[in-house]
């Protein structure tokens, strides 16, 4: 099946650079692989259950009107799941917000997806581990 899409020049140039560095022969193959990776990450996030501890990394354009206020409002709605946050100025345009989370994965997933949907947010990545998994690792070490 064929599709067409519009991309900003900078994004396409960066994508082409990655494809060239990785030895891809065509954009189509690179796009297929990128889509598969996106789907796998989504499925991984949806398959998580129970209590989790993790780190949310959010890169956003702090010049985008309303994005900082919206991020603050969302974080206030999830105060029970947020243990700490760190704000870093990456350059003149972008900031990185690192948010430490702990709690039920459903709430952490909601928080992650709300941040992803904000206009002005460029990238969101959740890295997490189940708290029961950590207990199991410790028990395995003791044996």
């Amino acid at each position: 099946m064929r599709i067409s899409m519009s991309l900003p020049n900078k994004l396409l140039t960066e994508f082409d650079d990655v494809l060239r560095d990785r030895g891809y022969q065509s954009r189509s193959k690179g796009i297929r692989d990128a889509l598969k990776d996106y789907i796998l990450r989504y499925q991984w996030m949806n398959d998580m259950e129970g209590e989790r501890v993790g780190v949310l990394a959010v890169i956003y354009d702090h010049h985008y009107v309303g994005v900082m206020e919206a991020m603050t409002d969302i974080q206030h709605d999830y105060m029970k799941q947020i243990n700490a946050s760190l704000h870093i100025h990456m350059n003149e345009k972008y900031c990185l917000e690192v948010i430490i989370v702990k709690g039920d994965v459903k709430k952490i997933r909601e928080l992650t997806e709300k941040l992803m949907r904000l206009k002005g947010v460029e990238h969101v990545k959740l890295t997490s581990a189940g708290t029961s998994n950590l207990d199991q690792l410790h028990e395995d070490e003791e044996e």
Side-chain angles (χ1 to χ4, degrees), residues 16-17 33 44-45 58 80 84 87 94 97 100 117 126 132:
D16 285 342
D17 290 345
D33 287 352
W44 168 80
M45 199 164 103
V58 183
K80 289 182 181 176
H87 180 90
Y94 293 107
E97 191 93 11
I100 309 302
R117 289 191 294 262
L126 170 64
S132 61

Side-chain angles (χ1 to χ4, degrees), residues 62-106:
H62 76 267
H63 292 296
Y64 199 94
V65 176
V67 69
M68 291 189 298
E69 294 84 356
M71 284 183 54
T72 300
D73 289 344
I74 290 170
Q75 288 183 54
H76 277 264
D77 292 341
Y78 292 88
M79 285 180 10
K80 289 182 181 176
Q81 289 75 37
I82 296 175
N83 290 66
S85 65
L86 171 68
H87 180 90
I88 300 167
H89 304 280
M90 297 173 65
N91 58 30
E92 293 298 318
K93 184 175 181 180
Y94 293 107
C95 292
L96 167 66
E97 191 93 11
V98 178
I99 305 167
I100 309 302
V101 294
K102 183 178 180 190
D104 186 271
V105 72
K106 290 176 187 170

Side-chain angles (χ1 to χ4, degrees), residues 7-50:
L7 297 172
N9 284 335
K10 186 177 186 302
L11 181 60
L12 183 58
T13 300
E14 290 173 349
F15 188 68
D16 285 342
D17 290 345
V18 170
L19 294 179
R20 193 171 24 265
D21 287 349
R22 297 187 81 191
Y24 279 83
Q25 301 300 313
S26 74
R27 273 189 193 150
S28 292
K29 173 71 170 126
I31 290 169
R32 280 192 301 271
D33 287 352
L35 286 171
K36 287 177 190 174
D37 183 63
Y38 183 81
I39 291 166
L40 283 172
R41 288 176 188 267
Y42 174 81
Q43 290 170 339
W44 168 80
M45 199 164 103
N46 276 347
D47 288 345
M48 292 187 290
E49 294 179 350

